[in-house]
Amino acid sequence: MTSRNGVRINRRPYVHIDSQTVRDTAMSYRALGILTYLLDQSEDWQVKSEQLSKGEGREGRDAVRKALHELARRGHYRLERRRFRNGQNAMGTAISEFRVEQWAKDYVTFGENLTVPVVEQEDGSFQVHYPDGSFGTDGFTTEAAGAEPDLDDELEEETPAEEPETPASPAPKPSQAAKPAAAKKAPAKKATPKVSAEEPKEAAAQKAAEKALLDADAEEVAKWWWVDAEKRYGPYVGDKRGYLGMRKQVRNALEKGYTKNQCGKALIRAAKHWPSAQQWQDALGIVTNHIQPRNAGGRVPYNDAATWGGPGDSTSIIPGATNAPPPSTPADDDHDDATFGIVERP
């Protein structure tokens, strides 16, 4: 504890939920509690008000349904009537830990009905099918709240293909009537500098090299933090895309000019295996002295020495640190045998 009158917390595997959602004063505690419970379920769990109302201390089915409508109104919940490309149909639930404005708008558009029809697209995403026959986004924008699009895939830089040269057709001979006009000297055209075909290839190669360097640095920091975070907070049991999401956050920060050492300090400051977008941005701002750490309730401000310890402390050795040992060999990473995947949830 950092203060005698501070909060003591028993921690176990936790539910990841956006801080802005928790502090949404327009949402009742009943709805917030049900949302938290839903986020803690596996993806194959079926959401039913009858099931949610069962158990000692639970509220009745009508109260649960009212809370689900409240979550839909706030942009956190909806039912989806899904039509797939193979012609099959299915009912499913969509839940978001952060507010999705499009979901809140769709709730009104469909007459405050929980069910929204969606249609699968060629890329596997879904679009909402509106009553007027038009289609629109389903609100699963991965840019919101720091979540990242295609966490394990990057856009490939394409080298422009050289256009094949076509032989010039011989110019037609001018007619007798056109000879006097053709005899007039045309104004000289300015010479256009020739661009070597090698230049686009060199630029593409340079971009590919920069991308590979960023990927390698991000992977180095991410691997270090995943091992260090397990020592600090225990094994990670959250969203399966946690490692990929955290690695993408680190890569974006490196691309914006932050150093590996600053990213490592920010991860320790955020105190999460996979911090939310806001937690990540705040932590980067604090370690680079752009944001002053909060000191409410007698909390001790961030201190490098207190957090990192001495040079002999293994947790202080992060990629890019001045006291870091030589880079590890591939054999040192054999213990990191976890497999991570991407889960389709916001």
Side-chain angles (χ1 to χ4, degrees):
M1 292 178 62
T2 58
S3 174
R4 288 180 179 272
N5 61 349
V7 179
R8 294 200 308 145
I9 304 175
N10 265 337
R11 293 194 184 277
R12 280 187 175 178
Y14 56 88
V15 177
H16 189 278
I17 187 168
D18 193 274
S19 179
Q20 292 182 355
T21 300
V22 176
R23 298 178 182 276
D24 184 1
T25 56
M27 187 188 305
S28 67
Y29 286 126
R30 173 194 293 168
L32 180 60
I34 290 180
L35 175 62
T36 305
Y37 182 78
L38 294 179
L39 290 171
D40 192 42
Q41 305 306 316
S42 61
E43 291 192 329
D44 56 356
W45 193 76
Q46 297 295 320
V47 181
K48 296 182 179 179
S49 56
E50 293 85 354
Q51 182 70 24
L52 291 172
S53 62
K54 291 181 180 180
E56 184 179 357
R58 302 299 188 190
E59 299 184 72
R61 185 178 61 179
D62 291 340
V64 171
R65 286 180 174 175
K66 183 178 179 180
L68 292 177
H69 274 275
E70 182 181 344
L71 290 174
R73 189 180 302 109
R74 299 298 300 161
H76 294 279
Y77 173 86
R78 72 182 181 192
L79 298 175
E80 292 181 335
R81 186 183 297 109
R82 299 165 183 164
R83 188 170 79 234
F84 297 92
R85 296 182 62 203
N86 61 4
Q88 294 180 345
N89 295 277
M91 286 292 294
T93 305
I95 307 169
S96 177
E97 70 178 44
F98 54 88
R99 174 180 169 85
V100 182
E101 294 292 342
Q102 188 59 47
W103 291 12
K105 293 178 181 178
D106 289 345
Y107 178 74
V108 177
T109 300
F110 286 92
E112 298 189 350
N113 192 324
L114 292 178
T115 304
V116 175
V118 296
V119 181
E120 185 184 22
Q121 306 300 302
E122 291 185 1
D123 60 357
S125 64
F126 287 87
Q127 285 195 344
V128 177
H129 189 191
Y130 289 103
D132 63 358
S134 63
F135 291 86
T137 175
D138 66 348
F140 272 84
T141 168
T142 51
E143 292 294 332
E148 306 296 340
D150 297 332
L151 297 174
D152 204 29
D153 298 324
E154 298 290 342
L155 293 177
E156 298 290 341
E157 294 288 345
E158 296 183 357
T159 304
E162 297 181 5
E163 296 183 359
E165 295 183 0
T166 55
S169 302
K173 295 182 179 181
S175 60
Q176 294 293 331
K179 280 184 179 180
K184 294 182 180 180
K185 188 176 182 181
K189 295 183 179 179
K190 293 184 178 180
T192 303
K194 295 183 179 180
V195 179
S196 171
E198 297 296 327
E199 290 183 8
K201 294 181 180 180
E202 293 176 0
Q206 183 177 357
K207 287 183 178 180
E210 293 174 354
K211 175 183 176 296
L213 181 60
L214 277 174
D215 290 342
D217 288 346
E219 184 70 16
E220 182 183 3
V221 176
K223 279 188 175 181
W224 162 81
W225 175 243
W226 210 247
V227 174
D228 195 74
E230 183 169 328
K231 296 177 183 176
R232 293 171 180 265
Y233 315 117
Y236 178 76
V237 293
D239 193 325
K240 292 181 180 179
R241 66 174 182 174
Y243 178 82
L244 300 176
M246 177 270 297
R247 185 181 66 184
K248 184 68 174 180
Q249 287 177 326
V250 172
R251 191 190 186 283
N252 288 343
L254 293 173
E255 193 172 11
K256 296 296 183 182
Y258 292 95
T259 66
K260 291 188 291 184
N261 189 253
Q262 288 171 339
C263 289
K265 290 183 177 181
L267 287 167
I268 292 179
R269 175 71 196 185
K272 301 283 186 183
H273 287 80
W274 178 25
S276 68
Q278 189 62 54
Q279 291 167 341
W280 179 236
Q281 188 64 58
D282 288 347
L284 287 171
I286 290 172
V287 300
T288 55
N289 297 321
H290 289 92
I291 300 177
Q292 290 298 320
R294 297 178 181 178
N295 194 25
R299 293 174 181 253
V300 178
Y302 175 78
N303 178 276
D304 272 352
T307 302
W308 292 84
D313 184 359
S314 62
T315 61
S316 68
I317 302 175
I318 67 173
T322 55
N323 59 344
S328 61
T329 61
D332 295 332
D333 294 330
D334 289 343
H335 63 281
D336 189 7
D337 56 355
T339 302
F340 303 93
I342 299 176
V343 178
E344 294 295 336
R345 64 185 274 198

